[in-house]
């Protein structure tokens, strides 16, 4: 199977996908809101945000100072385009898999246009190999 166009390896890991999906539903989101919504630690979320920011998918703004410092995050246009492309690629994968299943959830069989499946022939006995008297007696005892 080939990877559909738009599939984004950077967004695909579940934590990043959850972050980007959450941000796609809003204009700006506060760090605590993202952290709490996704049940992540501060450090785990920071790491994912940094990775996505480095790729140009996010804009991060730090406002205020001291104890009132506030971190806000939003998807960039590039990030939104990448997310939408990734979602479309995932849908193509799911639809392709669904097209391989018939009514009642049974897998469809190969069609006559598919190339035949080849199985390896059983290994041939070496022409100089002959059963020993012990092996012949053992075979007769089993029968």
């Amino acid at each position: 199977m080939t990877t559909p166009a738009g599939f984004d390896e950077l967004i695909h890991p579940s934590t990043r996908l959850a972050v980007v999906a959450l941000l796609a539903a809003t204009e700006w989101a506060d760090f605590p809101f993202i952290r709490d919504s996704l049940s992540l630690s501060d450090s785990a979320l920071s790491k994912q945000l940094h990775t996505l920011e480095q790729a140009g998918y996010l804009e991060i703004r730090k406002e205020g100072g001291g104890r009132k410092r506030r971190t806000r995050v939003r998807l960039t246009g590039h990030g939104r385009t990448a997310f939408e492309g990734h979602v479309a690629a995932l849908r193509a994968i799911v639809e392709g898999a669904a097209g391989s299943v018939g009514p009642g959830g049974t897998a469809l069989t190969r069609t006559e246009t598919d190339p035949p499946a080849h199985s390896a022939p059983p290994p041939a006995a070496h022409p100089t190999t002959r059963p020993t008297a012990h092996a012949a007696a053992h075979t007769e005892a089993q029968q």
Side-chain angles (χ1 to χ4, degrees):
M1 176 182 171
T2 59
T3 304
F7 188 90
D8 192 307
E9 294 285 346
L10 185 71
I11 291 176
H12 190 67
S14 61
T15 301
R16 285 190 212 134
L17 183 58
V19 168
V20 175
L22 183 65
L23 292 172
T26 186
E27 184 62 30
W28 284 93
D30 290 326
F31 185 95
F33 172 76
I34 301 167
R35 178 197 61 213
D36 297 344
S37 295
L38 302 178
S39 300
L40 296 172
S41 67
D42 286 355
S43 62
L45 179 56
S46 291
K47 180 181 176 185
Q48 300 307 325
L49 293 180
H50 178 73
T51 299
L52 292 164
E53 181 184 35
Q54 291 299 110
Y57 290 3
L58 302 181
E59 178 183 347
I60 299 175
R61 284 193 188 163
K62 296 186 185 275
E63 302 169 346
R67 296 179 63 83
K68 296 196 184 237
R69 186 164 193 144
R70 182 173 164 183
T71 301
R72 302 188 70 200
V73 184
R74 76 174 182 102
L75 276 180
T76 62
H78 179 64
R80 191 168 299 278
T81 299
F83 174 67
E84 290 168 356
H86 189 68
V87 169
L90 291 175
R91 284 192 178 120
I93 291 169
V94 171
E95 290 167 3
S100 300
V101 179
T106 57
L108 299 176
T109 58
R110 289 185 330 102
T111 64
E112 292 178 6
T113 60
D114 288 341
H118 295 285
S119 61
H126 193 277
T128 60
T129 305
R130 294 191 185 121
T132 63
H134 175 70
H138 182 71
T139 304
E140 289 176 12
Q142 287 181 337
Q143 294 175 351

